[in-house]
Amino acid sequence: MPSSVQVLGTGQLVELSRRMRAAGGPRLRQNMARRIRRAAEPLQADLQRSITGVQLPGSGRKSRGGPSPTTRPLRRTLAGGVRISVRQGASPGARVWMDRGRLPVDVRNMPWVIEAGRVRHPVYGNRKRWSTQWARPSGWWSRTTDAGVPRMRAEVARVLADVRRDLQ
């Protein structure tokens, strides 16, 4: 699974960035960055909605129950790691990515594990007993990005056309 989706480094973005730097318009650059970020926000929201909707059924064995070793909700924690970054330097563009640094240490690989459809974890924190939860490979990242990237690219192209028109 790719760890990020990027729309950057195209010749149009680089050329436009140079022209804006030459024009010296910081307000114009800020406006473009804000609009590019807004173009990426629907994809970020779709990814967050997608990961919170993933179903992870139990292993099929009867559970004895007991308190969870953590109180944090797994899917919402993972959704909080989906980030957007906008760059305006030599390689301008937008990137939607999973920030592993914002995730707790024990679930840093969980987004990719869930994408594959197999989750192994200790039973209530007991590292001597492990459980495997199977889910249909959700494609929560790949399907969502495949559906959202064309919309994001079209919006970035529209922003570039508007900025190019303002510079002329």
Side-chain angles (χ1 to χ4, degrees):
M1 173 182 96
S3 60
S4 67
V5 175
Q6 300 179 25
V7 175
L8 55 91
T10 64
Q12 294 174 354
L13 279 171
V14 173
E15 180 263 332
L16 193 58
S17 178
R18 286 186 191 131
R19 287 179 57 192
M20 285 187 348
R21 201 173 312 123
R27 195 171 69 186
L28 186 63
R29 282 196 309 266
Q30 289 172 351
N31 185 32
M32 185 178 93
R34 181 174 37 82
R35 288 182 65 194
I36 289 176
R37 175 175 290 281
R38 283 193 183 151
E41 284 173 353
L43 180 58
Q44 178 190 28
D46 289 347
L47 285 166
Q48 289 173 335
R49 218 177 357 265
S50 180
I51 189 63
T52 55
V54 170
Q55 296 296 317
L56 292 173
S59 61
R61 295 176 55 188
K62 186 173 181 174
S63 173
R64 288 187 235 164
S68 171
T70 65
T71 57
R72 66 176 182 265
L74 174 67
R75 292 170 195 87
R76 267 191 283 156
T77 301
L78 297 177
V82 179
R83 305 280 309 269
I84 299 174
S85 61
V86 176
R87 294 190 301 213
Q88 291 187 357
S91 181
R95 177 179 174 208
V96 178
W97 54 294
M98 177 58 79
D99 186 1
R100 290 179 54 177
R102 291 190 74 176
L103 299 177
V105 177
D106 58 334
V107 295
R108 289 215 169 134
N109 289 328
M110 191 62 70
W112 296 274
V113 170
I114 290 175
E115 174 85 2
R118 177 178 175 244
V119 178
R120 278 187 46 79
H121 60 88
V123 177
Y124 295 106
N126 179 0
R127 296 208 167 264
K128 293 180 181 178
R129 289 194 55 196
W130 286 76
S131 175
T132 302
Q133 288 181 266
W134 295 91
R136 274 178 300 193
S138 64
W140 74 271
W141 182 272
S142 55
R143 286 184 195 151
T144 308
T145 55
D146 288 348
V149 167
R151 180 181 61 202
M152 183 175 152
R153 286 200 173 144
E155 182 63 25
V156 168
R158 193 170 65 80
V159 169
L160 292 177
D162 291 348
V163 172
R164 195 175 301 117
R165 192 173 353 102
D166 289 345
L167 283 175
Q168 290 176 354

